[in-house]
């Protein structure tokens, strides 16, 4: 599975932690689309870069990071085909995959320390979508894109 990661200047350190955790998984390939310095950037631009890799079929999932995770998750959810989940805890991370089939995980670099963030990432990459009744509901979410 290929996972694209991106952050704004508010989550540079968290991006490095996320990449370190993803490196624990031999079957995960990581693509880092920036930002790479502390210079201020606009998080919608980063969300667009990450999500373009997913909607074009070059990657299966993405992880987007900003100061709170809020702005970049809102931006990502404007893009067709993206289901971004802002998760600050392990339970939400698990449910975002099992029930919502989230293809993007959002977290806040100014919210989460490296330990909790690492656990969230581990659970998020290892949890499968349950399908069944949840597939019907996710289908209804995707139908909203056309309304
Ligand atoms: C940037 O200062 C900050 O607004 C951004 O990282 C994020 O927290 C927005 O939601």
């Amino acid at each position: 599975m290929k996972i694209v990661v991106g952050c704004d200047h508010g989550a540079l350190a968290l991006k490095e932690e996320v990449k370190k955790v993803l490196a624990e998984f031999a079957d995960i390939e990581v693509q880092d689309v920036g930002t790479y310095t502390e210079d201020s950037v606009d998080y919608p631009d980063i969300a667009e870069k990450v999500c373009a890799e997913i909607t074009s079929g070059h990657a299966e999932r993405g992880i987007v990071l900003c100061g709170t995770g809020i702005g970049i998750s809102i931006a990502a959810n404007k893009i067709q085909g993206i289901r971004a989940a802002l998760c600050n805890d392990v339970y939400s991370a698990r449910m975002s995959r099992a029930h919502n089939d989230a293809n993007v995980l959002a977290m806040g670099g100014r919210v989460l320390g490296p330990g909790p963030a690492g656990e969230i990432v581990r659970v998020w990459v290892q949890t499968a979508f349950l399908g069944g009744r949840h597939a019907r509901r996710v289908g209804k979410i995707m139908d909203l894109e056309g309304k």
Side-chain angles (χ1 to χ4, degrees):
M1 171 166 64
K2 185 168 173 184
I3 299 184
V4 195
V5 299
C7 71
D8 77 355
H9 53 283
L12 266 182
L14 181 55
K15 177 156 65 73
E16 290 314 306
E17 183 63 26
V18 165
K19 285 161 57 181
K20 207 166 82 184
V21 169
L22 292 176
E24 295 169 6
F25 298 88
D27 58 337
I28 291 179
E29 181 191 345
V30 178
Q31 181 184 351
D32 180 352
V33 296
T35 189
Y36 308 107
T37 73
E38 287 180 3
D39 295 344
S40 181
V41 293
D42 296 335
Y43 55 80
D45 298 336
I46 303 297
E48 193 175 4
K49 270 191 189 179
V50 169
C51 295
E53 295 301 315
I54 300 167
T55 56
S56 65
H58 292 137
E60 284 76 39
R61 294 202 222 160
I63 299 179
V64 293
L65 313 163
C66 67
T68 59
I70 296 171
I72 204 158
S73 63
I74 292 173
N77 276 317
K78 297 288 180 192
I79 297 167
Q80 291 221 339
I82 297 301
R83 291 177 301 280
L86 172 58
C87 298
N88 288 318
D89 63 273
V90 165
Y91 179 76
S92 299
R94 181 176 297 113
M95 289 303 113
S96 80
R97 287 288 313 133
H99 288 193
N100 313 119
D101 198 18
N103 52 7
V104 170
L105 168 67
M107 294 186 294
R110 295 171 183 157
V111 177
L112 286 167
E119 282 307 299
I120 287 168
V121 169
R122 286 185 191 95
V123 164
W124 192 76
V125 299
Q126 292 183 97
T127 304
F129 179 48
L130 289 176
R133 67 185 187 281
H134 305 295
R136 183 181 69 247
R137 292 160 185 166
V138 170
K140 288 187 177 186
I141 293 176
M142 303 325 285
D143 287 347
L144 291 173
E145 288 182 344
K147 293 185 180 173

